[in-house]
Amino acid sequence: MCGIFGCILKQGKAAPLIHAALKRLEYRGYDSVGEVTLDGSKLYMKKDQGKIDEVHQAHNLDDLPGSIGIGHTRWATHGAPLQVNAHPHVDCNGQIAVVHNGIIENFAELKQELENHGHVFKSRTDTEVIPHLIEEAKKNNPSLSLAEAVLDALKKLNGSYAIAVISTIEPDKIVCARNESPLVIGVNEDSAYFASDIPAFLPLTNKAIIVDDGEIAVLSSHGVEIKKIADSKPVVREPKVISWTAEMAVKQGYPHFMIKEIHEQPECLRNTLRVQEHYADLMATFLDRAREVYLVACGTSYHACLAASYMFSKLAFLPTYPVIASEFIEQHGKSVNIDSTILAVSQSGETADTLAAVNAARQRAATILGLTNAIGSTLTRVSRVYIGQQSGPEIGVAATKTFTSQLSVMAQLALRLAKKRGKVSQDEMDYLAERLCRIPETVQTIINTQEEKTKQIAKKYKDRKTFFFLGRGISTATAYEGRLKLMEIAYTPAIAFPAGESKHGPISLVEPGFPVVFVCPKDDTHKTLIGNIMEMKARGAAIIAVIEEDDEEIKKLADDFVEVPKDVPEVLSSIPFIVPLQLIAYYMAVERGYNPDMPRNLAKSVTVK
Ligand code: BG6
């Protein structure tokens, strides 16, 4: 994935604004950065490999003339992260500049064709075909406007894109378009902006227009014009006022977004309790009617699905299949039909594997339900019903607050379904609903009282080479997620298993001092889990346990423990129990000298570059 941003201003210089906005988009990719501006009838460009600050230090990204410009922060897919492959890319004459977020699948054929027509390519990117296609369209029909030439080019592309184009051909416009990659437009009286994500322009305006797949938009000093790519039909769409404050999108004094976002969890969980009743009810009705329910997601969202499968089963007696999205088509593609329901869970709503699974299921007439943090994302548009989890923007690549929010929404869904099916008594419903409302406070207590302890644990174990994460029941999902956090940001190989399975192979790894993290809520699995702890202890493992605060039995067995307030119902336990594991992973990354916000080889969504 990559980040794109651009602006057209009535007055002032575009370059410093683009630079600042790209910083806010850096979480989308940080292999290289580039900007191009227009002044009079000339394009001015700076680009290089490296993080934005490094490139700015070397080239001064603010020092470009003109009040129109576009910029890009890259996550490499086609072509190594080198200066030559950094965006923007230009045509043969250096008159048309393009930034692109996405993957052009047929670029090799297009490139060949263009080369046969004499075009000369400089980079190894798929993107570079776009300015050359626009140039070719103009060459073949000089009367085309810039937007018409872009349209002509777009019709030849297969794949995903959010693109933006500026050109000396019409130096007062930015043309952008979208297919399967995010694109939003921001407007105010003086200026128009486009970006991959709303936080990029939030300090400049809170009025946003979401561009849909298959649309092209022309930004000029007269405003914004949107059309359908297929038939050039005009689209009328009023801007929405975004309630996120600019402060929500910056670090607010925390050293990293990840720790800021861990600390935001109580607030997010409170917001998540305000999901729209109507949609939650509607979703519960679809789940109730389904012949079978697949919970489909990637990464952290998949772990939320895994935990949710226990919630649906235990509360509503609804069996569900949690499926890793990239396996869905192979594993279940043929058996999905009109009676199947897919609940797709994706923070970004743009993850390619999740969307591919959803599309395959749609083609077989299945019902699609969506849970996402990104309203306006592709997932929201392909879902019969969707719920926005209302966590606010998550900038840290490693998902934290969006995981606990997803769990809260799915617990609410399971409760509604249980009520619909008459599977839980009113007293139990009331009790669970009340406990769910207390979860934000529980998480706040953990952060207030246990953070220092997690720091000490990270310090103590920072040089260990491998970790085990074990849990039983719903805590298996918590263990998987704790393992993922540690691996992705502290680069520590870790293995997670249902604790009962650990003796069937994994235990052979254990030797004296081997750290094993146990997730130990006081639920029905507690006694058996103690047996698993003993097994590991007998082999000399160092036991790190996340326990309820009065769990004296495990306190005696553990080398180190972190405490969670007691009386959290089993079906909700993953929400508070993951928090100490997020903190341990965060502090372990810091101890090891890594930047937890930018894990290598990872980005927020895998949809696009
Ligand atoms: C991966 C991220 O690329 O996508 C994970 O590294 C994330 O952190 C996963 O959980 C799924 O993303 P999403 O947006 O579909 O929930």
Side-chain angles (χ1 to χ4, degrees):
M1 109 176 164
C2 309
I4 62 172
F5 175 86
C7 59
I8 185 156
L9 311 173
K10 282 217 174 110
Q11 26 176 283
K13 270 173 73 176
L17 247 67
I18 300 171
H19 171 199
L22 291 178
K23 273 301 285 177
R24 292 189 285 274
L25 285 172
E26 202 172 13
Y27 73 96
R28 298 182 63 85
Y30 28 84
D31 292 331
S32 65
V33 62
E35 292 185 11
V36 62
T37 58
L38 246 170
D39 194 26
S41 57
K42 208 171 168 265
L43 289 178
Y44 296 84
M45 182 157 75
K46 289 188 179 186
K47 62 179 188 176
D48 207 348
Q49 68 194 77
K51 293 196 175 138
I52 297 175
D53 287 348
E54 293 159 10
V55 176
H56 178 57
Q57 205 166 13
H59 301 282
N60 189 0
L61 289 169
D62 297 343
D63 185 24
L64 289 168
S67 55
I68 296 183
I70 58 180
H72 186 273
T73 178
R74 180 166 186 250
W75 178 251
T77 57
H78 294 62
L82 302 171
Q83 184 182 35
V84 70
N85 292 326
H87 297 216
H89 291 286
V90 294
D91 67 321
C92 294
N93 301 317
Q95 289 188 346
I96 302 164
V98 174
V99 290
H100 166 223
N101 170 27
I103 293 171
I104 306 303
E105 287 157 12
N106 59 338
F107 87 99
E109 299 95 284
L110 291 171
K111 188 170 176 176
Q112 187 59 61
E113 235 174 81
L114 287 159
E115 280 175 339
N116 292 344
H117 283 92
H119 290 263
V120 179
F121 283 76
K122 295 190 183 108
S123 79
R124 296 179 69 85
T125 65
D126 51 342
T127 303
E128 201 183 351
V129 297
I130 305 172
H132 289 282
L133 282 172
I134 300 169
E135 180 188 13
E136 186 67 13
K138 247 334 238 177
K139 197 167 85 187
N140 294 337
N141 187 351
S143 66
L144 291 182
S145 67
L146 178 64
E148 286 165 341
V150 173
L151 261 178
D152 193 285
L154 292 178
K155 287 181 181 161
K156 297 190 169 71
L157 303 180
N158 294 336
S160 59
Y161 55 77
I163 61 155
V165 185
I166 56 172
S167 172
T168 54
I169 300 168
E170 280 175 57
D172 58 346
K173 291 193 176 68
I174 298 176
V175 180
C176 32
R178 164 181 182 156
N179 185 50
E180 290 179 30
S181 298
L183 182 66
V184 280
I185 289 172
V187 285
N188 61 22
E189 284 125 41
D190 298 330
S191 323
Y193 315 92
F194 72 83
S196 301
D197 207 347
I198 290 168
F201 56 66
L202 211 47
L204 305 162
T205 181
N206 65 350
K207 289 195 197 112
I209 303 171
I210 313 290
V211 181
D212 274 344
D213 276 345
E215 289 179 351
I216 182 167
V218 179
L219 278 55
S220 71
S221 51
H222 308 299
V224 177
E225 245 184 283
I226 304 178
K227 286 182 182 168
K228 292 279 172 207
I229 293 171
D231 54 12
S232 295
K233 246 193 179 156
V235 173
V236 180
R237 193 169 298 137
E238 289 302 314
K240 281 187 193 166
V241 175
I242 303 299
S243 56
W244 295 351
T245 60
E247 289 74 40
M248 282 173 81
V250 294
K251 283 193 217 155
Q252 293 171 345
Y254 288 100
H256 300 102
F257 284 112
M258 184 179 173
I259 190 69
K260 170 180 166 282
E261 286 159 3
I262 290 173
H263 278 243
E264 277 169 11
Q265 286 179 112
E267 189 191 332
C268 290
L269 287 162
R270 268 189 285 276
N271 288 339
T272 307
L273 290 171
R274 300 188 193 109
V275 298
Q276 290 186 34
E277 303 263 323
H278 171 66
Y279 295 111
D281 271 342
L282 209 53
M283 214 180 251
T285 305
F286 277 114
L287 291 170
D288 190 28
R289 279 193 207 152
R291 194 194 57 202
E292 74 257 323
V293 175
Y294 298 97
L295 308 174
V296 178
C298 301
T300 293
S301 298
Y302 168 72
H303 296 147
C305 289
L306 202 55
S309 70
Y310 289 85
M311 296 174 188
F312 285 125
S313 170
K314 283 178 178 269
L315 293 174
F317 298 10
L318 174 77
T320 54
Y321 302 105
V323 190
I324 290 181
S326 56
E327 285 299 310
F328 179 79
I329 298 174
E330 286 301 314
Q331 205 177 353
H332 299 287
K334 290 257 155 54
S335 52
V336 168
N337 62 37
I338 197 161
D339 298 321
S340 312
T341 289
I342 311 312
L343 172 52
V345 180
S346 172
Q347 186 283 128
S348 61
E350 298 288 351
T351 299
D353 288 328
T354 307
L355 295 179
V358 162
N359 283 336
R362 279 174 87 205
Q363 274 163 24
R364 296 182 68 88
T367 301
I368 309 298
L369 309 176
L371 169 56
T372 181
N373 192 31
I375 308 296
S377 63
T378 306
L379 182 59
T380 60
R381 288 196 308 278
V382 296
S383 298
R384 185 90 182 261
V385 185
Y386 69 83
I387 292 181
Q389 58 182 89
Q390 305 176 14
S391 319
E394 188 172 63
I395 311 288
V397 169
T400 52
K401 63 178 184 173
T402 56
F403 176 66
T404 45
S405 292
Q406 286 167 347
L407 291 174
S408 170
V409 174
M410 288 198 276
Q412 292 173 61
L413 278 175
L415 276 170
R416 268 165 210 274
L417 190 56
K419 191 173 177 187
K420 220 178 248 308
R421 297 183 149 203
K423 300 296 184 192
V424 178
S425 71
Q426 192 56 50
D427 279 357
E428 201 181 344
M429 281 291 300
D430 293 346
Y431 168 75
L432 288 169
E434 190 262 331
R435 289 287 144 170
L436 189 62
C437 290
R438 278 219 223 155
I439 289 280
E441 193 187 313
T442 306
V443 169
Q444 189 66 65
T445 307
I446 297 167
I447 293 169
N448 293 350
T449 64
Q450 304 297 302
E451 186 165 1
E452 190 49 43
K453 229 180 207 176
T454 61
K455 239 186 238 181
Q456 295 314 321
I457 290 173
K459 227 183 210 114
K460 180 170 167 187
Y461 293 94
K462 72 177 185 350
D463 296 323
R464 298 304 165 90
K465 299 240 170 327
T466 321
F467 284 72
F468 262 179
F469 284 77
L470 302 177
R472 295 188 85 99
I474 196 167
S475 298
T476 303
T478 320
Y480 277 125
E481 176 57 11
R483 180 271 314 246
L484 177 63
K485 288 288 89 77
L486 190 70
M487 280 198 322
E488 68 182 337
I489 61 165
Y491 313 146
T492 311
I495 301 160
F497 270 98
E501 186 64 9
S502 61
K503 59 182 174 292
H504 301 297
I507 201 163
S508 63
L509 280 179
V510 176
E511 55 185 12
F514 188 98
V516 183
V517 180
F518 277 94
V519 184
C520 321
K522 269 196 163 174
D523 58 20
D524 292 347
T525 69
H526 190 252
K527 278 231 145 22
T528 337
L529 193 73
I530 290 179
N532 298 126
I533 297 177
M534 307 285 265
E535 268 163 22
M536 290 292 168
K537 243 191 125 53
R539 282 148 186 94
I543 309 294
I544 304 161
V546 185
I547 58 169
E548 285 193 17
E549 64 191 356
D550 65 347
D551 195 340
E552 301 306 324
E553 229 174 329
I554 298 188
K555 274 188 197 172
K556 278 188 214 131
L557 297 172
D559 295 79
D560 294 279
F561 58 85
V562 187
E563 292 174 273
V564 166
K566 58 184 178 182
D567 296 335
V568 176
E570 177 189 5
V571 286
L572 304 179
S573 66
S574 292
I575 306 176
F577 275 77
I578 191 60
V579 177
L581 300 184
Q582 294 169 340
L583 287 166
I584 290 173
Y586 171 77
Y587 284 111
M588 195 79 90
V590 172
E591 281 293 333
R592 291 177 162 219
Y594 301 126
N595 179 351
D597 286 342
M598 292 187 180
R600 64 183 175 224
N601 308 330
L602 274 174
K604 196 72 196 159
S605 160
V606 293
T607 324
V608 282
K609 294 188 267 194

